[in-house]
Amino acid sequence: MPHTPRTGPHDRGRLRAAAVAACVTAVGLAGCAAETGARDGGVAPRLSPPTSASPLWPQYSPPVTPTSEPTGPGRRYLSIKDVEVPAAGLKGIPVQELLEKDPNVPKLVQAELEACPGPECGLRKPVYRDLTGDRQDELVVGLDAPAAGLTLVQVYRAFGSAVRPVLISWGPLGLTGEIFGHDLVLVSTGNDGRFTTRYRWDGNVLSAAAPQDQTGDSAQKSAAPSPPPTETPPAPAPTPTPSRTE
């Protein structure tokens, strides 16, 4: 007959300890497995919407003209004498009067203003936007000069009670623009596509942003492209590296 070994008290204690250890191990493994599943991490953080462009003249449809890129600031501009900023800010100054007294604009502008007001007036509706980040609106002026085939976009800023331009930009007829954050993006459309130039406040004027900084936050140094036209405007000179969008 086969011999069945006897188990003493010590043997039975060791068996019970082994069984308990096995149970603990099984429970631990089950707990680890549970941790690998989906867990509620709480309320998701709220995302901020990206900055979107705001057209200056949303109802304006530019004509398609031969491609030419807008010009930018070529100098620091003079303050306008005999014009003081009232308590209402730049909105309290008539735009035509501002242009007529501005020593920075050429005679071409003065000639175009002779048709204003009237059906042949090329002066667009003034636009007021904060382009310097100081929570004070600048004045954006647009003037079409069909005879010259050009459009002027000019930005004025108040300096205390004085006012002067911080951007004078000439482009092909139909030049328009958008506001992106505090940046001004000028857009010209021609046979070769759509060209944009982005301007940013540098502490003195609105200067063209370099391509690598088109969406950055740092200000660029003032560029010095061709000055605005005089009595007979030349073909608009290119600004520093504009961005092209198809």
Side-chain angles (χ1 to χ4, degrees), residues 6 21-22 26 31 36 45 51 54 56 60 67 80 88 97 115 133 163 171 183 186 202 206 226:
R6 295 182 179 179
T36 62
T51 303
S54 173
L56 293 176
Y60 181 77
T67 299
I80 303 172
E97 176 186 346
V163 58
D183 291 356
L186 295 185
D202 68 1
L206 291 173
S226 301

Side-chain angles (χ1 to χ4, degrees), residues 202-219:
D202 68 1
N204 189 61
V205 296
L206 291 173
S207 59
Q212 65 269 20
D213 195 47
Q214 289 285 316
T215 56
D217 294 325
S218 60

Side-chain angles (χ1 to χ4, degrees), residues 149-233:
L150 295 172
T151 291
L152 165 71
V153 173
Q154 190 154 321
V155 180
Y156 288 97
R157 184 174 189 263
F159 294 85
S161 61
V163 58
R164 68 171 172 85
V166 292
L167 174 68
I168 298 178
S169 182
W170 289 89
L173 186 64
L175 178 70
T176 186
E178 301 171 342
I179 304 298
F180 196 88
H182 294 299
D183 291 356
L184 171 64
V185 181
L186 295 185
V187 182
S188 61
T189 305
N191 294 330
D192 293 335
R194 184 176 184 263
F195 289 84
T196 63
T197 306
R198 188 166 188 157
Y199 293 96
R200 179 170 300 145
W201 177 244
D202 68 1
N204 189 61
V205 296
L206 291 173
S207 59
Q212 65 269 20
D213 195 47
Q214 289 285 316
T215 56
D217 294 325
S218 60
Q220 298 297 303
K221 294 182 179 180
S222 179
S226 301
T230 54
E231 296 185 40
T232 304

Side-chain angles (χ1 to χ4, degrees), residues 90-141:
L90 294 175
K91 293 181 180 180
I93 304 176
V95 174
Q96 185 170 342
E97 176 186 346
L98 194 60
L99 289 171
E100 289 173 344
K101 294 183 177 180
D102 187 351
N104 302 281
V105 299
K107 292 182 179 180
L108 170 65
V109 174
Q110 309 297 336
E112 291 293 332
L113 291 175
E114 293 178 359
C116 301
E120 301 299 324
C121 179
L123 196 59
R124 300 184 191 174
K125 182 180 179 180
V127 179
Y128 301 90
R129 295 288 190 276
D130 178 11
L131 300 176
T132 61
D134 64 352
R135 299 183 181 180
Q136 301 295 322
D137 285 343
E138 277 65 53
L139 165 62
V140 185
V141 176

